Amino acid sequence: MIAPAFLALVALQQAPQVTAIRAGTLIDGTGGAPVKNAIILVQGGRITAVGASVPVPNGATVIDLSGATVLPGFIDAHVHLAGRTIGDGDWQHSILTEMPSQLALLGAAHAQQTLEAGFTTVRVLGTAHFGDIALRNAINAGWIPGPRIVGAGISFGIRGGHCDETNGLRPDALGHEAGVEYGVADGVEEVRNAVRYGVKYGADVIKICATGGVLSLTDSVGVQQYTEEEMRAIVEAAAQLDRRVAAHAHGTAGIKAAVRAGVASIEHGSILDAEAVALMKQRGTWLVPTLLAGFTVESLATAGRLPPPIAAKALAIAPRQHTSFKLAVDGGVRIALGTDAGVMRHGTNGREFGLMVKYGMTPMQAIVAGTSSGATLLGLEREIGTIAVGKQADLVAVRGDPLQGIAQLEHVDFVMKGGTVFKRDGQVVGRSAAGLP
Ligand SMILES: [Zn+2]
């Protein structure tokens, strides 16, 4: 017979360690009023208690953030990790000149920068050769540090459109005309197959180009590219596989067609009108405004660092983004924070909060957009997005009061993801290869 004391000891050893976090101020991501001097208990990677009157259990590991504001880990609903940042190296042709493995390794560095900035979850909307799916799997396996990833794998659109990776190349550059693996799918049959191709190789979400774009050489930024019929087929094929659709869309007609077709989110949404806003509100369509991408391309264009056709588009679209964003905020459209990181430098995602406030949100609205709203758009609202019992312990801390100075969110001192501390006192915490066999 085994002694009861021994069994009790085994139970004690097996119960996961409790971590108690003392938060000077807690902003929980729901939009509710901040709570002073809160305690958050974490066990087994999840939040087990939160509130001002929660007692700290004996033996708990205490993390003292009593001089800081604690928030849910931030969520960026639009990034590109596994590729060159605009202006870095041969960024326009890197998917043809650099090995997919090299771009995936670069993505690992970008993923770490993103996590250090307090973004514990990202949605990656389009990556050559499924580099984001490789990253997602490597992070989930504990091989490398990085945010949780909801990945699209490839993105696709019409031949010669914004998602066509071979724009600007001569016709025989690949040795064959580009197909879905380079982001091209035309017509109802091909787009259905493109959805299935993406999901087959690991896509969590489907990314399409509904209109032209800024950073592609040969297309006009505002024009609609997919027909509404094609987009309906995409949404239907995606729904059958339990996937949502994110539509890159700048111009008004393409935005409306994508919304009517049933996409989950409009990315950029640069040229909205009252009808588009009303339609989005009615359908519950999300806007991911990517103000930081607009700011970045406008700055690069002004500095003469973009090819002339791209610079002209950038200068035309950025001011329109600001008025459209305000229209959407005032019209009650659901908005999730997204930056299009990869256009700007990774790890500077937090600047989006400030732009959202500059162009029409309250600081609390911007925080909600970058936490609980992002979680809902990603379909992860039960797991992340707020500091609540049962959720993953994804927590960040900043100095001072972000409701008084939103730029505080650009300087994250503490990062915990799923109960594991990745950054403390502004320093990256040394890590072992604990996730490796
Ligand atoms: Zn993008």
Side-chain angles (χ1 to χ4, degrees):
M1 196 175 143
I2 301 166
F6 176 72
L7 285 176
L9 186 67
V10 169
L12 196 68
Q13 284 173 340
Q14 285 174 348
Q17 174 69 33
V18 177
T19 301
I21 295 151
R22 293 186 185 280
T25 303
L26 174 87
I27 295 177
D28 70 2
T30 64
V35 176
K36 290 284 177 197
N37 301 314
I39 300 286
I40 305 159
L41 299 184
V42 174
Q43 192 172 20
R46 290 188 183 264
I47 297 163
T48 56
V50 57
S53 54
V54 171
V56 175
N58 283 334
T61 304
V62 176
I63 296 176
D64 184 11
L65 300 172
S66 57
T69 301
V70 177
L71 305 103
F74 303 144
I75 299 171
D76 189 330
H78 190 140
V79 304
H80 304 275
L81 292 174
R84 291 279 183 174
T85 302
I86 303 310
D88 175 28
D90 185 16
W91 61 274
Q92 281 183 282
H93 306 111
S94 62
I95 74 153
L96 296 166
T97 58
E98 296 184 271
M99 291 289 190
S101 50
Q102 181 159 323
L103 296 176
L105 286 167
L106 182 58
H110 293 158
Q112 177 144 8
Q113 287 178 305
T114 305
L115 182 61
E116 286 171 20
F119 285 79
T120 49
T121 303
V122 297
R123 191 174 60 152
V124 185
L125 289 184
T127 307
H129 308 297
F130 293 88
D132 54 338
I133 303 304
L135 272 181
R136 178 196 68 192
N137 296 346
I139 291 166
N140 288 348
W143 298 351
I144 55 169
R148 297 169 204 293
I149 288 180
V150 171
I154 50 145
S155 54
F156 58 90
I158 66 164
R159 185 167 310 284
H162 179 63
C163 277
D164 183 342
E165 303 275 13
T166 61
N167 270 340
L169 300 183
R170 54 189 241 199
D172 58 342
L174 289 181
H176 58 85
E177 187 56 41
V180 65
E181 69 279 18
Y182 284 95
V184 177
D186 286 317
V188 165
E189 272 315 299
E190 276 188 27
V191 299
R192 283 184 188 282
N193 273 325
V195 170
R196 291 166 187 160
Y197 174 83
V199 174
K200 176 181 177 185
Y201 294 110
D204 304 304
V205 59
I206 301 301
K207 161 73 181 295
I208 61 166
C209 286
T211 74
V214 175
L215 291 167
S216 40
L217 271 174
T218 58
D219 59 343
S220 159
V221 64
V223 296
Q224 183 173 339
Q225 293 191 335
Y226 266 139
T227 65
E228 194 169 325
E229 187 194 15
E230 287 169 316
M231 289 194 275
R232 281 187 201 283
I234 290 164
V235 169
E236 190 180 272
Q240 284 169 341
L241 296 170
D242 197 23
R243 298 299 192 278
R244 297 177 184 183
V245 178
H248 158 106
H250 287 288
T252 319
I255 290 168
K256 290 176 188 173
V259 172
R260 284 193 298 264
V263 303
S265 64
I266 295 293
E267 308 298 313
H268 317 303
S270 303
I271 311 175
L272 295 174
D273 63 11
E275 190 193 13
V277 165
L279 200 58
M280 290 178 76
K281 180 157 167 59
Q282 182 206 334
R283 300 290 300 254
T285 315
W286 290 87
L287 174 67
V288 180
T290 68
L291 299 171
L292 192 47
F295 171 82
T296 304
V297 293
E298 190 180 26
S299 307
L300 289 170
T302 307
R305 292 179 57 201
L306 290 176
I310 292 179
K313 290 197 276 184
L315 292 171
I317 211 79
R320 305 295 298 270
Q321 272 201 328
H322 306 153
T323 46
S324 293
F325 175 69
K326 181 83 168 85
L327 212 56
V329 171
D330 292 346
V333 172
R334 300 204 286 179
I335 296 175
L337 179 147
T339 61
D340 217 352
V343 173
M344 91 300 170
R345 211 156 52 78
H346 296 276
T348 65
N349 316 53
R351 291 184 293 159
E352 183 78 15
F353 288 109
L355 291 173
M356 291 176 118
V357 170
K358 181 175 179 182
Y359 294 111
M361 276 186 164
T362 65
M364 190 59 99
Q365 283 177 317
I367 288 169
V368 169
T371 55
S372 56
S373 291
T376 304
L377 168 58
L378 272 54
L380 295 174
E381 67 274 15
R382 287 187 179 165
E383 286 289 309
I384 57 170
T386 62
I387 301 177
V389 171
K391 293 219 174 165
Q392 294 275 353
D394 287 6
L395 304 170
V396 300
V398 299
R399 269 171 275 181
D401 181 2
L403 300 179
Q404 297 301 317
I406 194 75
Q408 300 287 3
L409 301 182
E410 296 170 28
H411 308 285
V412 171
D413 283 338
F414 174 85
V415 179
M416 173 185 274
K417 181 190 142 205
T420 301
V421 177
F422 282 91
K423 192 177 186 184
R424 196 167 176 175
D425 301 323
Q427 301 296 316
V428 175
V429 174
R431 55 183 296 279
S432 66
L436 296 177

